[in-house]
Amino acid sequence: GALVYQYPRRTICKSGTSMRMECQAVGFQATSVAWYRQSPQKTFELIALSTVNSAIKYEQNFTQEKFPISHPNLSFSSMTVLNAYLEDRGLYLCGAREGLGNTGQLYFGEGSKLTVL
Amino acid sequence: GQQVQQSPASLVLQEGENAELQCNFSTSLNSMQWFYQRPGGSLVSLFYNPSGTKQSGRLTSTTVIKERRSSLHISSSQTTDSGTYLCAMDSGGNYKPTFGKGTSLVVHP
């Protein structure tokens, strides 16, 4: 079956340092990967959408300079939170989708929880 | 842009009662998915249901595209059903999966 592994599960970092998280698709080809952040208030924000062979599209309030994403092949994506501060804390989730076009279900990893001290 | 309204925000039931969760969306629908979020945060996909009705055990999902809504029905609720239920949809145009704010379900014994 289709699985997405995300790691690390949780990280505690000092304010101003960075955290890198990785997303591995198993059993399918992740042609697109969506990175989300779930705030402590529980709302999901889309950070960016990465599609193989296309430019990564960042949502308003999120930038490549702050959240650089790599999607080098159909099974792997990574995102870094640079210079993390208190407002960056939350649960970061990657959702991967296979197939071309805009169809298909999203498979999610277990999330990477970021705590900033 | 596309918006997703999920209701109710919270629901409290006695074990054995049924639950009906709703998601309404503002744009045309390309995909609709229902998730259960575990207390640790991980998402479990319950249904991928862009149209029609699907059933799995005590869970039934119905999406009516023309009415721009999708529902999740839980029959004979159990205490283990407690948790947060989320819907996520995207319209075909911009292909950005958008989540609802979730329904927090508590089932008492």
Side-chain angles (χ1 to χ4, degrees):
Chain A
L3 291 171
V4 172
Y5 291 105
Q6 193 175 343
Y7 37 88
R9 291 294 310 280
R10 43 184 66 84
T11 300
I12 300 173
C13 68
K14 289 184 179 179
S15 182
T17 62
S18 300
M19 173 211 176
R20 182 173 185 261
M21 57 199 82
E22 299 181 344
C23 189
Q24 183 84 38
V26 177
F28 70 104
Q29 294 184 322
T31 53
S32 67
V33 174
W35 285 94
Y36 291 88
R37 178 173 67 196
Q38 186 179 32
S39 65
Q41 293 74 35
K42 302 298 180 185
T43 56
F44 277 82
E45 299 175 279
L46 178 64
I47 297 170
L49 190 60
S50 171
T51 304
V52 171
N53 298 327
S54 294
I56 298 171
K57 295 178 183 177
Y58 285 84
E59 290 296 290
Q60 196 173 11
N61 300 326
F62 297 98
T63 65
Q64 184 180 7
E65 290 70 33
K66 174 72 174 178
F67 299 95
I69 291 170
S70 171
H71 189 182
N73 55 54
L74 294 174
S75 64
F76 182 82
S77 179
S78 67
M79 184 178 76
T80 302
V81 181
L82 294 174
N83 300 318
Y85 288 99
L86 196 61
E87 58 266 26
D88 296 319
R89 64 194 169 128
L91 180 69
Y92 289 81
L93 288 154
C94 73
R97 188 179 256 177
E98 67 176 334
L100 299 174
N102 301 334
T103 60
Q105 63 177 318
L106 281 166
Y107 299 99
F108 276 92
E110 302 227 328
S112 296
K113 185 175 181 179
L114 174 62
T115 300
V116 182
L117 300 178
Chain B
Q2 62 190 29
Q3 294 182 17
V4 182
Q5 300 293 333
Q6 194 169 347
S7 61
S10 62
L11 187 59
V12 180
L13 300 174
Q14 288 296 127
E15 197 167 33
E17 293 182 324
N18 298 332
E20 185 86 8
L21 284 56
Q22 293 283 346
C23 241
N24 294 282
F25 35 94
S26 60
T27 62
S28 60
L29 181 71
N30 184 63
S31 73
M32 167 59 74
Q33 202 164 345
W34 283 92
F35 296 92
Y36 170 75
Q37 185 168 33
R38 295 192 181 112
S42 60
L43 293 177
V44 177
S45 180
L46 299 174
F47 291 103
Y48 172 69
N49 187 22
S51 68
T53 298
K54 292 189 176 181
Q55 184 177 2
S56 175
R58 294 181 294 105
L59 303 180
T60 303
S61 169
T62 300
T63 298
V64 183
I65 295 176
K66 280 198 301 186
E67 297 178 13
R68 295 188 173 178
R69 63 173 177 87
S70 182
S71 64
L72 178 68
H73 184 83
I74 305 173
S75 62
S76 303
S77 62
Q78 300 175 0
T79 56
T80 50
D81 294 330
S82 297
T84 300
Y85 292 82
L86 293 142
C87 64
M89 61 81 67
D90 70 68
S91 56
N94 59 20
Y95 183 44
K96 293 191 295 185
T98 302
F99 279 85
K101 292 188 176 182
T103 294
S104 175
L105 175 65
V106 174
V107 182
H108 291 302

